[in-house]
Structure formats: structure tokens, C-alpha cells
Amino acid sequence: MRIVEFDYKPEFASTMGIDHTHQTGIIAQEVKELLPSAVKEVGDVSCSDGEKIHNFLMVDKEQIFMENVGAVQQLSKLTDNLETRIKELEVWNCRLAKLKSLTGSLRSTGKPRKHSSVSMMSSPDACKTGTAQKKGWSHKYSHCLQHKVFQASVFTLLATMAFCIISITVLYLINLKVEDAEDFPGYSNNSVFPLQTTAWTSTVPPTSQPGPWPPDVDFCELLYCDHMYCCTPPRGVSTDSSNTLTELAKVEKSNLTERRKEKFQLKLKRASDWTNTTIHTFIIKENQQVIDSKYCLRDECGPGRYTYRVPISQFVPLNMRVTLLMNSTELLVVHLCSFDESEACTAMLDMNTVTGIRYPSDTQGEHEWPLHVSRLYRSSYHFRSAVAGKADCSTNHNYAGALFTDYHFYFYRRCTDL
């Protein structure tokens, strides 16, 4: 995999909430050919200038990091084995060098004797001289043969080592795929670390027709979407919802690193009696639309804290009921810690329907929250899910992920024409 430097387009960076356009990383298409499980398809992405990116791919850098750690461990083992083999080869090379020098000295001391014997020998002894020469040639041939045998042994050893390295690499990749297949469904409630949330794996099949990203909450399957109800923003309120929501999502982010360290320690201490406090799925009850990872803000989706940015379609009537349904695998209590419905639509200000509305402080068993987001230009809600009696809205935020899970929802009216 190549390491490259690249710059995001300003339109794409503003849409995805990226502060620094210059990045260093890897190409998702190249990673998908080598490790498909580390690349996720998030569908089509629309930039602020109207340009559309089809079938956008996202790289899971954490998985690539862990696989690099495993590869380094395997290479470290291979390096140790190679060092041992090289030392053995050096010992054998020294022994062969000593043997070669010994045979050379014996050959040099035997030559004068042969010449003197030739000068003093009579014709009947000529056959003895031929026999000695044949022995000398046979000795040279055996020495050359030994050298070739040594070369062949070294070559065979290197080929065997190369085959072993290839086999280990193949087995390691197969083992990674098997582990990914086993770990993909999730962990049980007895595991040390809690689930991120199953909302990440709950995806809506992409539609064939291109549309805004993330998809709007609409009721076109229930109502005729032939009339637009564009909500006029209140006076003095900026129409740039992305900047405002991004600033709201950065609240408490300065302490995020320290909170994660403390949560990691708490998870280890409470692993024996820990209860999963994450919400399994979020669904708009009226149209069964799933609010999943497509609506998550960058770096604001777990563990312990999730932030969703949900656009309301321009075809949703101002008096339409929108109910947020929360499903959990455990028996939890969902607290509404805070909400902001101050930015009402200008057309609704005279009706005085937004003020005076009260929400329950929490829900148990069935978690249904009828929200008044259709009447508002922008609104925000802070929910906290926990086990009954163990945490509420006043619990210290350092226990996020261990005793409770926070969910922040930001709804805003998205209109193409005002």
C-alpha cells in the first residue's frame, strides 16, 4: 500500500466537516484490493457546489493499524530465525575455508617430491607417475564437487526460507479473514468492552436516484410531495446550518482524549457486572426510516457519545408528527437531559404552538419521543441511556461508556429554494 499526500477539495471538506484539507494517508481503492474488510462503502456524497461523488469509500485506519502490528510481530519472528540460520552458515563457511587451506598446503608440499621422483625414475616407474597425477586430478574434482554441493545447499536453504515466509504470510491473511468473519456480528454482553453501537451496521439500501447526503427525513411514501414547506429562519439566525451544527458538536471535545482514558480504566474495573447501555437502533416511527451511521458527525460516534445530524425535507408539513423510536437490547432508561427548540419557523411564531410544550424527563421499556422538529428551523436534543438507578443526567461525564451512553441529535430544515 502506498502512502500518499493529498488535498481535499474545499467543497468536499466543508460538506464532511473536515478542518484541514491537506492529509497524508492511503488510497481506499488500493486498500480494497488487498484488504476488502478495511474499506466501507458509504454511498453517494454530494458536495456543497453540487458535485456528486458516487460510491464513496471510507478506510478503517484502526483495523489497518492492528494488522500492521500483527505483521510486524510475524516479521520479527522470521528475522530471529534468519539470524540463527545465518550464524550456522557462517560457522560452516569457516570450517570449509580451513579445510580448503589444509588441502592446498598438502598439494603444495607434494609437488617437489613428484618432480624429483620423475627425474630419478626409470621407464618401468612411469605408470606410477601417471597414477599419482590421476589421484591429484581426482582430489581437485572432489574439492570442486564439495564446493558445488555447498552452493546447492545454500540455495536450497534460501528457497526453503522464502517458501516458509510466503506460507506464513498466506496463513496469516487467512487467519485475519477468519477472525473478521467471527468478530463481525459483535460481542456478547459478557465482553470487557462495550459495543460501539449496532446502528453502524444497520444501513438502508441505497436508492437508484441520486439525492442529498445524508438523506432527508421525508414522508413521500405516505404523502404527496408536491408542495414545499420551506421554513423561513428566524431573524438574526445564520442559514449556514453546517457551521452552526459543527460548532455545537465540538462542545466538550477538548476533554475527549482524557475522558477516553478514564473510560478505558473504568471498563476494565467493571467488566464483570457491566451492562451494555447503547441503543440498538433509531427509527423514525412514521416512515420507518433508520437513523444510522450516515448521519453521524466526524469523530463524534462513540464510544460513550454519539452525535447525529438529521436534515428534515422541504416537503414535510410544518404540523407533521415526527416520532423518534429507540430500540435497545437491555432494559434501559432513556433520559432527556436537555433540548433547544428556540429557533422556530417564522411562519409558526404567531401560532404559539412551540412554547409551553413539555417532554417527559425519561422513558422506560418503550422509548418513543414525539419531537416537534417539523415546526422548527433548527433544534437539538441530548438523550442519555442508562440502567435504572445507576446513572442520570447529573452523573459525571467521565463515566460515559461505562454507566451510560450520550446521544446528541441535531435536526435542521433543508430547503433548496427559499
Side-chain angles (χ1 to χ4, degrees):
M1 290 186 286
R2 296 182 302 144
I3 305 298
V4 298
E5 291 186 3
F6 56 90
D7 294 309
Y8 287 114
K9 291 184 177 180
E11 299 82 4
F12 177 79
S14 63
T15 302
M16 302 301 293
I18 300 174
D19 297 331
H20 302 286
T21 58
H22 186 75
Q23 300 284 337
T24 301
I26 52 183
I27 305 302
Q29 286 77 6
E30 297 179 358
V31 177
K32 188 176 182 180
E33 296 179 358
L34 300 176
L35 194 61
S37 61
V39 178
K40 297 181 180 178
E41 297 182 359
V42 297
D44 298 339
V45 177
S46 297
C47 298
S48 60
D49 60 348
E51 182 180 358
K52 189 179 298 298
I53 302 175
H54 297 283
N55 195 16
F56 186 75
L57 302 179
M58 182 175 293
V59 179
D60 188 354
K61 296 183 179 179
E62 183 177 1
Q63 181 179 353
I64 293 178
F65 173 76
M66 296 307 299
E67 290 177 355
N68 286 336
V69 172
V72 170
Q73 292 177 350
Q74 295 296 329
L75 289 176
S76 178
K77 294 180 182 178
L78 292 176
T79 303
D80 295 338
N81 295 332
L82 289 175
E83 290 179 354
T84 304
R85 297 292 180 88
I86 290 172
K87 290 181 180 179
E88 293 178 356
L89 290 176
E90 290 178 351
V91 172
W92 280 104
N93 192 19
C94 293
R95 291 179 181 178
L96 290 175
K98 291 181 180 179
L99 182 61
K100 183 177 180 181
S101 61
L102 180 61
T103 54
S105 61
L106 291 175
R107 194 185 309 117
S108 62
T109 53
K111 286 182 180 180
R113 295 179 181 178
K114 291 180 182 178
H115 288 294
S116 60
S117 62
V118 170
S119 60
M120 298 174 62
M121 271 192 234
S122 59
S123 58
D125 296 330
C127 59
K128 294 182 179 179
T129 304
T131 303
Q133 291 178 353
K134 289 181 179 179
K135 290 183 178 179
W137 284 109
S138 64
H139 180 73
K140 291 181 179 179
Y141 176 77
S142 62
H143 178 70
C144 182
L145 182 62
Q146 290 178 355
H147 185 66
K148 290 183 177 180
V149 169
F150 173 75
Q151 290 180 344
S153 301
V154 173
F155 178 78
T156 304
L157 180 60
L158 293 176
T160 304
M161 292 172 62
F163 177 77
C164 291
I165 292 174
I166 295 173
S167 301
I168 291 173
T169 304
V170 172
L171 291 175
Y172 177 72
L173 292 176
I174 294 175
N175 188 31
L176 282 179
K177 292 183 178 180
V178 172
E179 290 178 357
D180 290 340
E182 293 176 352
D183 295 339
F184 181 76
Y187 302 94
S188 64
N189 290 337
N190 296 326
S191 59
V192 174
F193 300 101
L195 288 166
Q196 296 285 327
T197 178
T198 53
W200 282 98
T201 58
S202 301
T203 57
V204 178
T207 58
S208 59
Q209 297 180 355
W213 191 263
D216 293 341
V217 174
D218 59 41
F219 303 94
C220 292
E221 295 181 358
L222 303 176
L223 305 173
Y224 291 105
C225 292
D226 55 354
H227 181 69
M228 290 189 300
Y229 300 89
C230 280
C231 182
T232 306
R235 294 181 180 179
V237 177
S238 173
T239 58
D240 191 356
S241 61
S242 59
N243 294 335
T244 304
L245 294 176
T246 302
E247 294 176 358
L248 292 174
K250 291 182 179 180
V251 176
E252 300 178 357
K253 191 174 181 180
S254 59
N255 298 325
L256 185 59
T257 303
E258 189 64 26
R259 291 200 338 248
R260 286 180 177 175
K261 292 180 181 178
E262 295 175 358
K263 287 185 290 185
F264 178 79
Q265 297 174 356
L266 290 172
K267 291 171 190 174
L268 294 178
K269 293 179 182 179
R270 300 176 181 271
S272 59
D273 57 351
W274 177 80
T275 302
N276 185 8
T277 60
T278 56
I279 300 298
H280 187 270
T281 52
F282 294 98
I283 301 176
I284 302 299
K285 183 179 180 180
E286 286 72 16
N287 60 356
Q288 295 299 306
Q289 183 172 345
V290 179
I291 306 300
D292 55 9
S293 60
K294 298 190 295 294
Y295 299 91
C296 260
L297 290 179
R298 181 183 177 89
D299 300 329
E300 286 291 333
C301 275
R305 187 174 189 271
Y306 300 84
T307 303
Y308 296 92
R309 178 187 171 192
V310 185
I312 304 298
S313 173
Q314 59 187 349
F315 299 106
V316 176
L318 298 178
N319 59 350
M320 185 68 190
R321 182 186 181 93
V322 179
T323 304
L324 183 62
L325 180 62
M326 305 179 185
N327 297 322
S328 61
T329 57
E330 302 288 343
L331 185 59
L332 303 176
V333 177
V334 178
H335 303 273
L336 178 59
C337 296
S338 63
F339 65 93
D340 183 6
E341 295 182 343
S342 60
E343 298 184 20
C345 295
T346 303
M348 299 296 297
L349 289 178
D350 297 336
M351 298 180 64
N352 196 22
T353 56
V354 178
T355 59
I357 296 175
R358 295 291 182 266
Y359 291 108
S361 60
D362 57 63
T363 58
Q364 299 182 14
E366 296 182 357
H367 309 292
E368 293 188 6
W369 294 89
L371 306 178
H372 312 99
V373 296
S374 60
R375 307 174 183 177
L376 304 168
Y377 180 70
R378 274 197 296 257
S379 58
S380 62
Y381 304 89
H382 172 202
F383 296 99
R384 175 168 292 181
S385 59
V387 178
K390 289 190 176 181
D392 54 21
C393 293
S394 61
T395 305
N396 192 311
H397 66 274
N398 290 325
Y399 291 96
L403 296 181
F404 61 84
T405 304
D406 279 338
Y407 294 94
H408 296 267
F409 285 86
Y410 298 98
F411 294 90
Y412 65 97
R413 176 77 67 161
R414 177 158 58 187
C415 291
T416 56
D417 295 321
L418 291 175

